[in-house]
Amino acid sequence: MASSVYLCLLRAVFLVCFVNPLIQGLSGDANVVQNPHHELEENLTGLPIVTFKWHHVQTPYLVIIWVFVAGLAKLSVIELNHHVTSVIPESGLLIILGFILGGIVWGAGKAQTFKLLPPTFFYYLLPQIILDASYFMPNKLFFSNLGAILIYAIFGTCWNAATVGLSLWGCYEAGAMGNLDIGLLQFLLFGSLIAAVDPVAVIAVFEEVHVNEVLFILVFGESLLNDGVTVVLYNVFDAFVALGGPKIDAAEIFKGIFSFVVVAFGGSFLGVVFAILLSLLTRCTKHIQIIEAGFVFVVGYLAYLTAEMLSLSAILSITFCGICCQKYVNANMDEKSVTTVRHAMKVLANGSETMIFVFLGVTAIDTEIWVWNTGFILLTLLFVFIYRIIGVFLLTWMLNKFRLVPIEVIDQVVMSYGGLRGAVAYGLAAMLDEDKIPEKNLMISTTLIVVYFTVILQGLTMKPLVQWLKVKRAAHSDLKLIEKLNNRAFDHILAAVEDICGRIGDNWWTRGWNRFEENYISWLLMKPKARRNRDYLFSIFHKLNLEDAVNYVSEGERQGSLGFIRSDEAANVDFKKQFDSEFTDVMPDIMVDMSNYELEIENVSVTSIVKDTIPSVSLDIHGHDRKNAVDDINAHHLLQQHLYRSRKNHRHKYSRSHFSINQSEDEVQEIFQRTMRSRLESFKSAKMGVNPAKKITKHHKKELTHKMANGHPDGTGHLYGDEVDSAVGSETGAIRGTFMRDMYTVGAGIENPVFLPDMDSPTHSSLPWLMETEAVAPSQRAQRRLPWTPNRLRRLAPMRISTCSTDSFLMADLEEHEEQPQTDHEEM
Amino acid sequence: MGSRASSLLREEDIEEIKKQTGFSHSQITRLYSRFHSLDKGENGALSREDFQRIPELAINPLGDRIINAFFPEGEDQVNFRGFMRTLAHFRPVEDNEKNKDPTSGEPLNSRTNKLFFAFQLYDLDRDDKISRDELLQVLEKVDVEQKMSIRFLH
């Protein structure tokens, strides 16, 4: 506690000492900016070794200093929050810190030069927050609730604006505010700028509360989309105020309504156009992937500025740009670019948010703007609060008649309480024209107070309120794969029932849109490679593979269970050096080389093994390690073998087009052994003798060989006998156990017995899901003993189910065994 | 659509179906005309072929399961009552539904009944158990990624 307080004080002192001379420099040197040359000439008596060139760097320096200060502020806020038991939301603390900073600057006697100016806010600080919000928007949730969101955004905002404005006007007429130079139109203007729920504040407060996703998307979506209404209302009333009362007739009002349509839909349409542009751009950047990430930000910002230029709704434009482009951009871009964009966006958005809140605090400490009118301010607070509640409940009551899953009362309470106003309102207020609106300062003051009230107080009490009301919270973990699959199955069921009923429901639209999108839009906007990799389950599989791999590494390092990882630094290096290259080689191949699979089966199978082994390795070992510390060495060997195998297989892929010289001794030996073994096998199988290569399995399955009635080649018999046995056992633990036993009884080390049965399989097993057969895919264990031809797979299905005699299977083995020697030779 | 269909549906039938399933009057009449349009053989009952004539069901991977769900055990024809009873499972859940008739048990669209119906969709051979194969079959038919999904379940 003491240390963090100490740190904060240290920072404050630092800021004071640092900021003060800067400000002095700023105010002092303002005049000297124009003629630096003259200055230098005048004072030049000797060669100056070092000069203080403040005016050269003045503007960017100040900007950077304030960004730096904002960052420090966030840091101290986070530190403080640990001790304040995270009761106050960060945004609130940042505003308070802004107060302190403003106080420091004011105390230094300087004028408040660092206000939050509207242009700065609207052009440099706001766009990245909105882009970040829309880029990470859960599209499915958003669009399925779009009706409700639009109702709240449009009608809710209009209701708020109208009621607040009119009530204030009514109270003014009733004399509650004393003497002010305001008319009805100005009240309406004020109402329109204070009515809008602010996306920045909503994100800042709600992200710490974790309410259920429907509630969140309703509030958040509303805060994003109401900008369309706010902009229109603001501009309309601003124009009306400028025109003056008498000139407003029906035509003007009609124009106002029409402008809403144009602004809102124009803005959204513009956003979609830029999203298409962005998707097309990322589609073409295959060879210059380093600038892909930049395009996202540039085009997003362009969307914002273009809409602003055309006086359309800029926030709507950038929102729809982000929403529409996310799918295609993520599919088209290289994985590294995707990560870059995500992180960069988060950094920018967080930074902007911090700066906005700090500046909101700093601008408070300015003696010029404060005008206090008790009636106005208190009444505004009251009306804003009450009309929000009334509006939400009214609209929800209407919506619930049409919704499939109604919005509960408790959610409505949270929604109305969550109507936070923020920096957008302040920005709009600061943009008011003083000549037309003499009471501008009063409005600014009121806006600031409303903002502070909602962000600090309502933000403060939001979390306890949510807990007290027992609002449904967000699910803590992602759905498991089986749950996701079930969800999909039920989508299909719903669609079927709707077809039977003959009515066109939600699902019809969703399916129709999905089909249209898959066929036409994706064709246009997605890279062909990305389109082929679009398989939903495959992407989940890939993601889970990566997770497993990462978990395995961190688990191993943490537990210290793996023999080759002893300490963080040294062992880390070893592991990475030895295996990381293989992982990174292997992993990207999963995505990159999938496109080849339609062309050559051989290439396919390699990557399929690669894909298959990684999860089987991770899953096996992961669980295994946890259970039994003794088997850690086993795990080590297993891992080494499997990774080793995958790297070798990976190299295999290139062996057709490039001839690469084997660097590793082990590999050379292994390949040699393989070759010899397979040659040997082909000889021996002709003689129907015992195959030394298969010793490993034979040892284990001696009993079964005796049972075999016929004298056909034992090699195959062993192979499948083994398998049947484990299939009968039908427990992965047992399977792994037998497998391990196999390896260690023969004392195999690096010379990998596991490989023996498989040597031909990489080139022969094809992806089950690519084949046209109806076979059930083999289990993990089966993959290690993959059959030699694609046809083999079919037999695994009956084998797993039936537990009785294996004769029939061995018979089946017989005819197909003859193919094997030929295929061996082909492969060599 | 209108007159001919509704003439075959008597008022007391509508009342009874309403009580049993909770659909409103207009919904029942509309669904009856749909039933009638599906019933090409004009015998007052739907067979499996009638369902299969719906084009979208043919491309739905779970189409035949849904069709099976309409037909009770062993039968090949479903009359309007049965049709409505199955469809009633899909009505949205109403929390405020006052239980007019305490002896009628839970309404057909209660959560429990929905879950039971969903279970039956998976349980093909109707032995009140979902075997692994039945589960596999459902998941298999969902899109081409079938083989992927099976592999993962092991």
PDB file of all heavy atoms in Angstrom, chain B residues 108-126:
ATOM      1  N   LEU B 108     -47.092 -28.483 -23.617  1.00  0.00           N
ATOM      2  CA  LEU B 108     -46.199 -29.196 -24.527  1.00  0.00           C
ATOM      3  C   LEU B 108     -44.941 -28.407 -24.863  1.00  0.00           C
ATOM      4  O   LEU B 108     -43.978 -28.964 -25.357  1.00  0.00           O
ATOM      5  CB  LEU B 108     -46.934 -29.521 -25.836  1.00  0.00           C
ATOM      6  CG  LEU B 108     -47.783 -30.777 -25.762  1.00  0.00           C
ATOM      7  CD1 LEU B 108     -48.638 -30.904 -27.002  1.00  0.00           C
ATOM      8  CD2 LEU B 108     -46.889 -31.995 -25.631  1.00  0.00           C
ATOM      9  N   ASN B 109     -45.009 -27.095 -24.646  1.00  0.00           N
ATOM     10  CA  ASN B 109     -43.816 -26.351 -25.022  1.00  0.00           C
ATOM     11  C   ASN B 109     -42.984 -25.950 -23.818  1.00  0.00           C
ATOM     12  O   ASN B 109     -42.212 -25.033 -23.873  1.00  0.00           O
ATOM     13  CB  ASN B 109     -44.209 -25.105 -25.817  1.00  0.00           C
ATOM     14  CG  ASN B 109     -44.985 -24.143 -24.954  1.00  0.00           C
ATOM     15  OD1 ASN B 109     -45.614 -24.539 -23.985  1.00  0.00           O
ATOM     16  ND2 ASN B 109     -44.938 -22.884 -25.293  1.00  0.00           N
ATOM     17  N   SER B 110     -43.184 -26.662 -22.705  1.00  0.00           N
ATOM     18  CA  SER B 110     -42.355 -26.338 -21.557  1.00  0.00           C
ATOM     19  C   SER B 110     -40.938 -26.797 -21.824  1.00  0.00           C
ATOM     20  O   SER B 110     -40.666 -27.567 -22.745  1.00  0.00           O
ATOM     21  CB  SER B 110     -42.886 -27.037 -20.314  1.00  0.00           C
ATOM     22  OG  SER B 110     -42.573 -28.421 -20.408  1.00  0.00           O
ATOM     23  N   ARG B 111     -40.045 -26.325 -21.001  1.00  0.00           N
ATOM     24  CA  ARG B 111     -38.636 -26.604 -21.224  1.00  0.00           C
ATOM     25  C   ARG B 111     -38.367 -28.103 -21.174  1.00  0.00           C
ATOM     26  O   ARG B 111     -37.630 -28.647 -21.989  1.00  0.00           O
ATOM     27  CB  ARG B 111     -37.824 -25.880 -20.168  1.00  0.00           C
ATOM     28  CG  ARG B 111     -36.381 -25.884 -20.492  1.00  0.00           C
ATOM     29  CD  ARG B 111     -35.621 -24.814 -19.736  1.00  0.00           C
ATOM     30  NE  ARG B 111     -34.282 -24.757 -20.248  1.00  0.00           N
ATOM     31  CZ  ARG B 111     -33.283 -25.515 -19.814  1.00  0.00           C
ATOM     32  NH1 ARG B 111     -33.491 -26.358 -18.830  1.00  0.00           N
ATOM     33  NH2 ARG B 111     -32.096 -25.442 -20.351  1.00  0.00           N
ATOM     34  N   THR B 112     -38.993 -28.750 -20.203  1.00  0.00           N
ATOM     35  CA  THR B 112     -38.749 -30.179 -20.066  1.00  0.00           C
ATOM     36  C   THR B 112     -39.217 -30.931 -21.293  1.00  0.00           C
ATOM     37  O   THR B 112     -38.528 -31.817 -21.802  1.00  0.00           O
ATOM     38  CB  THR B 112     -39.508 -30.721 -18.844  1.00  0.00           C
ATOM     39  OG1 THR B 112     -39.560 -29.704 -17.869  1.00  0.00           O
ATOM     40  CG2 THR B 112     -38.817 -31.941 -18.288  1.00  0.00           C
ATOM     41  N   ASN B 113     -40.390 -30.577 -21.751  1.00  0.00           N
ATOM     42  CA  ASN B 113     -40.907 -31.282 -22.915  1.00  0.00           C
ATOM     43  C   ASN B 113     -40.092 -31.008 -24.157  1.00  0.00           C
ATOM     44  O   ASN B 113     -39.925 -31.879 -25.018  1.00  0.00           O
ATOM     45  CB  ASN B 113     -42.380 -30.898 -23.152  1.00  0.00           C
ATOM     46  CG  ASN B 113     -43.290 -31.715 -22.268  1.00  0.00           C
ATOM     47  OD1 ASN B 113     -42.989 -32.860 -21.969  1.00  0.00           O
ATOM     48  ND2 ASN B 113     -44.380 -31.130 -21.837  1.00  0.00           N
ATOM     49  N   LYS B 114     -39.573 -29.784 -24.239  1.00  0.00           N
ATOM     50  CA  LYS B 114     -38.720 -29.481 -25.392  1.00  0.00           C
ATOM     51  C   LYS B 114     -37.481 -30.364 -25.354  1.00  0.00           C
ATOM     52  O   LYS B 114     -37.046 -30.898 -26.370  1.00  0.00           O
ATOM     53  CB  LYS B 114     -38.292 -28.017 -25.367  1.00  0.00           C
ATOM     54  CG  LYS B 114     -39.333 -27.037 -25.873  1.00  0.00           C
ATOM     55  CD  LYS B 114     -38.730 -25.637 -25.925  1.00  0.00           C
ATOM     56  CE  LYS B 114     -39.787 -24.581 -26.001  1.00  0.00           C
ATOM     57  NZ  LYS B 114     -40.137 -24.208 -27.355  1.00  0.00           N
ATOM     58  N   LEU B 115     -36.908 -30.459 -24.158  1.00  0.00           N
ATOM     59  CA  LEU B 115     -35.706 -31.277 -24.045  1.00  0.00           C
ATOM     60  C   LEU B 115     -36.017 -32.724 -24.368  1.00  0.00           C
ATOM     61  O   LEU B 115     -35.223 -33.407 -25.019  1.00  0.00           O
ATOM     62  CB  LEU B 115     -35.140 -31.171 -22.624  1.00  0.00           C
ATOM     63  CG  LEU B 115     -34.424 -29.866 -22.329  1.00  0.00           C
ATOM     64  CD1 LEU B 115     -34.089 -29.766 -20.866  1.00  0.00           C
ATOM     65  CD2 LEU B 115     -33.161 -29.774 -23.154  1.00  0.00           C
ATOM     66  N   PHE B 116     -37.170 -33.182 -23.915  1.00  0.00           N
ATOM     67  CA  PHE B 116     -37.543 -34.557 -24.187  1.00  0.00           C
ATOM     68  C   PHE B 116     -37.678 -34.790 -25.690  1.00  0.00           C
ATOM     69  O   PHE B 116     -37.236 -35.809 -26.224  1.00  0.00           O
ATOM     70  CB  PHE B 116     -38.856 -34.867 -23.457  1.00  0.00           C
ATOM     71  CG  PHE B 116     -39.222 -36.309 -23.475  1.00  0.00           C
ATOM     72  CD1 PHE B 116     -38.417 -37.238 -22.832  1.00  0.00           C
ATOM     73  CD2 PHE B 116     -40.339 -36.754 -24.140  1.00  0.00           C
ATOM     74  CE1 PHE B 116     -38.736 -38.580 -22.854  1.00  0.00           C
ATOM     75  CE2 PHE B 116     -40.669 -38.096 -24.159  1.00  0.00           C
ATOM     76  CZ  PHE B 116     -39.867 -39.013 -23.517  1.00  0.00           C
ATOM     77  N   PHE B 117     -38.281 -33.844 -26.344  1.00  0.00           N
ATOM     78  CA  PHE B 117     -38.437 -33.960 -27.795  1.00  0.00           C
ATOM     79  C   PHE B 117     -37.086 -33.969 -28.482  1.00  0.00           C
ATOM     80  O   PHE B 117     -36.849 -34.750 -29.413  1.00  0.00           O
ATOM     81  CB  PHE B 117     -39.293 -32.802 -28.293  1.00  0.00           C
ATOM     82  CG  PHE B 117     -39.567 -32.856 -29.754  1.00  0.00           C
ATOM     83  CD1 PHE B 117     -40.442 -33.791 -30.280  1.00  0.00           C
ATOM     84  CD2 PHE B 117     -38.927 -31.988 -30.623  1.00  0.00           C
ATOM     85  CE1 PHE B 117     -40.689 -33.842 -31.636  1.00  0.00           C
ATOM     86  CE2 PHE B 117     -39.180 -32.035 -31.975  1.00  0.00           C
ATOM     87  CZ  PHE B 117     -40.056 -32.962 -32.479  1.00  0.00           C
ATOM     88  N   ALA B 118     -36.215 -33.092 -28.019  1.00  0.00           N
ATOM     89  CA  ALA B 118     -34.884 -33.047 -28.621  1.00  0.00           C
ATOM     90  C   ALA B 118     -34.168 -34.370 -28.422  1.00  0.00           C
ATOM     91  O   ALA B 118     -33.494 -34.872 -29.326  1.00  0.00           O
ATOM     92  CB  ALA B 118     -34.072 -31.915 -27.992  1.00  0.00           C
ATOM     93  N   PHE B 119     -34.348 -34.946 -27.240  1.00  0.00           N
ATOM     94  CA  PHE B 119     -33.751 -36.244 -26.976  1.00  0.00           C
ATOM     95  C   PHE B 119     -34.268 -37.273 -27.962  1.00  0.00           C
ATOM     96  O   PHE B 119     -33.507 -38.090 -28.492  1.00  0.00           O
ATOM     97  CB  PHE B 119     -34.091 -36.661 -25.540  1.00  0.00           C
ATOM     98  CG  PHE B 119     -33.454 -37.944 -25.112  1.00  0.00           C
ATOM     99  CD1 PHE B 119     -32.185 -37.943 -24.593  1.00  0.00           C
ATOM    100  CD2 PHE B 119     -34.122 -39.144 -25.256  1.00  0.00           C
ATOM    101  CE1 PHE B 119     -31.586 -39.125 -24.181  1.00  0.00           C
ATOM    102  CE2 PHE B 119     -33.533 -40.326 -24.848  1.00  0.00           C
ATOM    103  CZ  PHE B 119     -32.269 -40.316 -24.308  1.00  0.00           C
ATOM    104  N   GLN B 120     -35.557 -37.199 -28.223  1.00  0.00           N
ATOM    105  CA  GLN B 120     -36.115 -38.182 -29.148  1.00  0.00           C
ATOM    106  C   GLN B 120     -35.569 -38.016 -30.549  1.00  0.00           C
ATOM    107  O   GLN B 120     -35.485 -38.983 -31.304  1.00  0.00           O
ATOM    108  CB  GLN B 120     -37.637 -38.042 -29.195  1.00  0.00           C
ATOM    109  CG  GLN B 120     -38.303 -38.663 -28.006  1.00  0.00           C
ATOM    110  CD  GLN B 120     -39.802 -38.491 -28.075  1.00  0.00           C
ATOM    111  OE1 GLN B 120     -40.295 -37.475 -28.534  1.00  0.00           O
ATOM    112  NE2 GLN B 120     -40.504 -39.488 -27.618  1.00  0.00           N
ATOM    113  N   LEU B 121     -35.202 -36.805 -30.889  1.00  0.00           N
ATOM    114  CA  LEU B 121     -34.625 -36.603 -32.214  1.00  0.00           C
ATOM    115  C   LEU B 121     -33.306 -37.344 -32.344  1.00  0.00           C
ATOM    116  O   LEU B 121     -32.940 -37.802 -33.416  1.00  0.00           O
ATOM    117  CB  LEU B 121     -34.380 -35.121 -32.475  1.00  0.00           C
ATOM    118  CG  LEU B 121     -35.602 -34.310 -32.830  1.00  0.00           C
ATOM    119  CD1 LEU B 121     -35.210 -32.852 -32.942  1.00  0.00           C
ATOM    120  CD2 LEU B 121     -36.175 -34.790 -34.138  1.00  0.00           C
ATOM    121  N   TYR B 122     -32.584 -37.419 -31.262  1.00  0.00           N
ATOM    122  CA  TYR B 122     -31.319 -38.130 -31.317  1.00  0.00           C
ATOM    123  C   TYR B 122     -31.515 -39.630 -31.178  1.00  0.00           C
ATOM    124  O   TYR B 122     -30.756 -40.418 -31.745  1.00  0.00           O
ATOM    125  CB  TYR B 122     -30.422 -37.647 -30.172  1.00  0.00           C
ATOM    126  CG  TYR B 122     -29.675 -36.390 -30.477  1.00  0.00           C
ATOM    127  CD1 TYR B 122     -30.338 -35.198 -30.724  1.00  0.00           C
ATOM    128  CD2 TYR B 122     -28.292 -36.372 -30.514  1.00  0.00           C
ATOM    129  CE1 TYR B 122     -29.654 -34.044 -30.997  1.00  0.00           C
ATOM    130  CE2 TYR B 122     -27.600 -35.213 -30.770  1.00  0.00           C
ATOM    131  CZ  TYR B 122     -28.289 -34.053 -31.017  1.00  0.00           C
ATOM    132  OH  TYR B 122     -27.592 -32.908 -31.286  1.00  0.00           O
ATOM    133  N   ASP B 123     -32.513 -40.007 -30.418  1.00  0.00           N
ATOM    134  CA  ASP B 123     -32.698 -41.416 -30.108  1.00  0.00           C
ATOM    135  C   ASP B 123     -33.518 -42.074 -31.198  1.00  0.00           C
ATOM    136  O   ASP B 123     -34.737 -42.129 -31.137  1.00  0.00           O
ATOM    137  CB  ASP B 123     -33.421 -41.512 -28.751  1.00  0.00           C
ATOM    138  CG  ASP B 123     -33.610 -42.946 -28.326  1.00  0.00           C
ATOM    139  OD1 ASP B 123     -32.871 -43.815 -28.842  1.00  0.00           O
ATOM    140  OD2 ASP B 123     -34.478 -43.191 -27.493  1.00  0.00           O
ATOM    141  N   LEU B 124     -32.836 -42.583 -32.211  1.00  0.00           N
ATOM    142  CA  LEU B 124     -33.543 -43.071 -33.389  1.00  0.00           C
ATOM    143  C   LEU B 124     -34.344 -44.323 -33.126  1.00  0.00           C
ATOM    144  O   LEU B 124     -35.446 -44.482 -33.619  1.00  0.00           O
ATOM    145  CB  LEU B 124     -32.536 -43.372 -34.501  1.00  0.00           C
ATOM    146  CG  LEU B 124     -31.940 -42.147 -35.176  1.00  0.00           C
ATOM    147  CD1 LEU B 124     -30.901 -42.597 -36.151  1.00  0.00           C
ATOM    148  CD2 LEU B 124     -33.036 -41.375 -35.864  1.00  0.00           C
ATOM    149  N   ASP B 125     -33.755 -45.245 -32.378  1.00  0.00           N
ATOM    150  CA  ASP B 125     -34.461 -46.513 -32.247  1.00  0.00           C
ATOM    151  C   ASP B 125     -35.421 -46.504 -31.067  1.00  0.00           C
ATOM    152  O   ASP B 125     -35.991 -47.528 -30.728  1.00  0.00           O
ATOM    153  CB  ASP B 125     -33.459 -47.662 -32.110  1.00  0.00           C
ATOM    154  CG  ASP B 125     -32.462 -47.382 -31.001  1.00  0.00           C
ATOM    155  OD1 ASP B 125     -32.589 -46.345 -30.328  1.00  0.00           O
ATOM    156  OD2 ASP B 125     -31.539 -48.192 -30.831  1.00  0.00           O
ATOM    157  N   ARG B 126     -35.555 -45.339 -30.467  1.00  0.00           N
ATOM    158  CA  ARG B 126     -36.574 -45.157 -29.427  1.00  0.00           C
ATOM    159  C   ARG B 126     -36.436 -46.134 -28.278  1.00  0.00           C
ATOM    160  O   ARG B 126     -37.424 -46.657 -27.781  1.00  0.00           O
ATOM    161  CB  ARG B 126     -37.982 -45.264 -30.013  1.00  0.00           C
ATOM    162  CG  ARG B 126     -38.129 -44.451 -31.256  1.00  0.00           C
ATOM    163  CD  ARG B 126     -39.394 -43.687 -31.276  1.00  0.00           C
ATOM    164  NE  ARG B 126     -39.431 -42.872 -32.498  1.00  0.00           N
ATOM    165  CZ  ARG B 126     -40.466 -42.197 -32.896  1.00  0.00           C
ATOM    166  NH1 ARG B 126     -41.568 -42.238 -32.187  1.00  0.00           N
ATOM    167  NH2 ARG B 126     -40.427 -41.498 -33.993  1.00  0.00           N
TER     168      ARG B 126
END
